[in-house]
Amino acid sequence: MNGSQEFLVTAAGRVNLIGEHIDYCGGKVLPAALSLKNAVRVRPNGENCIRLSWTTLEEKVTLDFSRLEEYRSLRYGNYQAGCALLWRQAGHALVGCDMVQDCSVPFGSGLSSSAAIEVSTLAALAALAGEQADPVELALLAQRAEREYAGVNCGIMDQYASACGKKGYAMLLDCKNVTCEYVPLELGAYTLVLLDCNKPHSLAGSKYNERRQETEDALAILKKKLPVECLADLSPADFERVKEALPPLLQRRTAHVVYECDRVTQAVEAMRAGDIARLGRLLNASHKSLSELYETTGAEPDALAAAAQRHPACAGSRLTGGGFGGCTVSLVRADSVARFCEDVCEEYRQKTGLSAKAYAAEIDDGITVRAL
Ligand code: GLA
């Protein structure tokens, strides 16, 4: 490797088509990587630190390699610090560098800006160290950075999609075995539309961890009844047989997980058969379940999804990602996207007083690395 080598590294945000809040229950999910990305321009600086700057912020932050444990509460730079720490702990060479971050994944949108930042930072550190990094290893390290450093006890979906996404494909990701099958994203006359409800979601982290804990509590009870390793191992028939063992709240949470797993299988069937109407109905059912059983939506996301679902050009719509705000993903006739966005945003504004925002994005590759 040339010691003064400069790289441009990117990793993607993601949209999850269906399979929400089941990655940490060992389920299969169906995300795709987006052309909204975090781009990192990096070059060695010969020092024992990372000098961070952003194209979109005034902030400048120096991460000293002897103090990498200490940056958890930084407003900006904490994800990068967590990644550097875990990269070194995993036994890799950590090379001092200047790093410019340029994020086109909107923050707090449910499109995984954090995963894009983590994965691209790790891929940049790997490029500097002259390593041919395995994207799955980078995804797993990024997930650990999110859990151990940022304190969100997340599943593997976002980081995996960010690292391993493929242009034109959704990923049927088995979160129990961490393996994925690429499914061509062929939607016929339809396309995906992302609309942000623009509701700030400050409690997202703690509520997320609470839901995760509830699924673990439910699993501990059900393991006494059935030989299951994770909630996703439960078939709908198993669940109906044993559900009375659970208190009402955990019964609702588990019902979401079990039937959402089933909807993912059906959604892949529908996609492969080109049955957009069926796929759309599954998206709607997923949103209803997140709203009523898992309770990770809220008034604004519900209003936005309902407005989309009612629109004649829309086959189905649901909130994507961790929830409590962020974006809906809708299946919309490609020839009616502008009209759809206008009508739905207007109805949403009348109901909530908020302006929704459309993001233009394609389904794209995960990590890219270019030597400059
Ligand atoms: C967040 C997490 C993911 C996943 C989703 C919900 O995006 O980071 O691991 O649990 O929420 O499906």
Side-chain angles (χ1 to χ4, degrees):
M1 188 195 62
N2 171 354
S4 61
Q5 181 73 72
E6 189 167 346
F7 296 92
L8 184 64
V9 177
T10 73
R14 64 97 191 90
V15 58
N16 187 22
L17 300 181
I18 195 163
E20 215 66 85
H21 285 279
I22 59 172
D23 61 344
Y24 51 82
C25 300
K28 290 185 182 170
V29 295
L30 196 63
L34 293 171
S35 52
L36 301 169
K37 294 177 182 300
N38 192 53
V40 177
R41 196 179 174 119
V42 74
R43 63 156 183 261
N45 63 12
E47 296 174 44
N48 280 319
C49 67
I50 298 175
R51 269 202 234 96
L52 269 176
S53 60
W54 288 264
T55 52
T56 49
L57 301 169
E58 291 296 311
E59 227 86 6
K60 302 232 181 300
V61 171
T62 300
L63 304 172
D64 195 315
F65 288 168
S66 62
R67 299 175 52 206
L68 285 177
E69 294 277 2
E70 297 169 29
Y71 299 113
R72 286 183 160 77
S73 55
L74 279 185
R75 172 136 189 245
Y76 300 107
N78 58 337
Y79 287 121
Q80 290 84 353
C83 289
L85 180 64
L86 280 152
W87 177 251
R88 189 177 62 194
Q89 280 175 0
H92 299 286
L94 187 56
V95 178
C97 58
D98 293 349
M99 218 184 232
V100 185
Q101 301 251 338
D102 180 22
C103 195
S104 64
V105 191
F107 297 130
S109 61
L111 301 178
S112 291
S113 54
S114 58
I117 293 168
E118 290 153 355
V119 171
S120 55
T121 299
L122 284 163
L125 294 175
L128 281 177
E131 284 196 37
Q132 201 61 19
D134 168 18
V136 178
E137 191 207 344
L138 294 182
L140 288 164
L141 269 180
Q143 181 198 23
R144 283 186 53 203
E146 179 89 31
R147 284 188 180 178
E148 295 171 23
Y149 205 89
V152 178
N153 198 10
C154 65
I156 186 62
M157 172 169 76
D158 303 349
Q159 292 79 10
Y160 196 104
S162 176
C164 305
K166 201 154 116 177
K167 193 176 174 66
Y169 289 83
M171 316 161 78
L172 180 59
L173 168 60
D174 180 333
C175 301
K176 192 171 171 187
N177 306 316
V178 196
T179 53
C180 113
E181 194 186 322
Y182 291 95
V183 183
L185 192 62
E186 284 158 5
L187 302 174
Y190 284 76
T191 189
L192 299 176
V193 174
L194 300 170
L195 282 181
D196 193 331
C197 74
N198 265 323
K199 182 207 160 199
H201 63 143
S202 50
L203 274 178
S206 61
K207 286 265 188 216
Y208 182 91
N209 289 347
E210 187 184 294
R211 288 296 175 283
R212 182 157 186 169
Q213 186 58 49
E214 288 163 353
T215 60
E216 279 166 18
D217 295 347
L219 179 63
I221 296 172
L222 293 175
K223 271 186 163 170
K224 296 184 189 135
K225 301 268 165 198
L226 286 171
V228 288
E229 271 174 48
C230 55
L231 284 187
D233 285 348
L234 244 81
S235 67
D238 285 339
F239 170 68
E240 294 301 332
R241 223 175 38 247
V242 298
K243 66 181 182 190
E244 299 304 331
L246 297 170
L249 179 87
L250 297 188
Q251 227 179 88
R252 292 204 300 279
R253 303 294 193 244
T254 310
H256 166 75
V257 171
V258 168
Y259 287 98
E260 184 76 355
C261 287
D262 193 51
R263 280 188 286 272
V264 174
T265 310
Q266 291 190 51
V268 173
E269 273 172 31
M271 253 166 74
R272 289 195 165 127
D275 189 344
I276 302 298
R278 183 176 179 209
L279 183 60
R281 286 194 298 274
L282 291 161
L283 261 55
N284 293 347
S286 169
H287 184 91
K288 187 171 184 332
S289 179
L290 289 166
S291 173
E292 293 174 5
L293 300 176
Y294 216 67
E295 298 179 273
T296 51
T297 59
E300 294 82 0
D302 283 351
L304 189 58
Q309 289 172 7
R310 270 195 292 273
H311 197 278
C314 178
S317 180
R318 59 182 289 280
L319 186 66
T320 189
F324 309 103
C327 281
T328 52
V329 56
S330 306
L331 263 173
V332 180
R333 284 197 66 94
D335 60 9
S336 311
V337 170
R339 185 67 195 277
F340 169 84
C341 292
E342 231 172 78
D343 294 348
V344 171
C345 290
E346 178 54 23
E347 184 177 335
Y348 179 67
R349 197 189 53 74
Q350 282 176 13
K351 289 254 154 61
T352 62
L354 295 173
S355 305
K357 182 167 193 269
Y359 298 123
E362 308 278 307
I363 303 307
D364 209 345
D365 289 329
I367 296 171
T368 67
V369 180
R370 187 154 61 90
L372 298 173

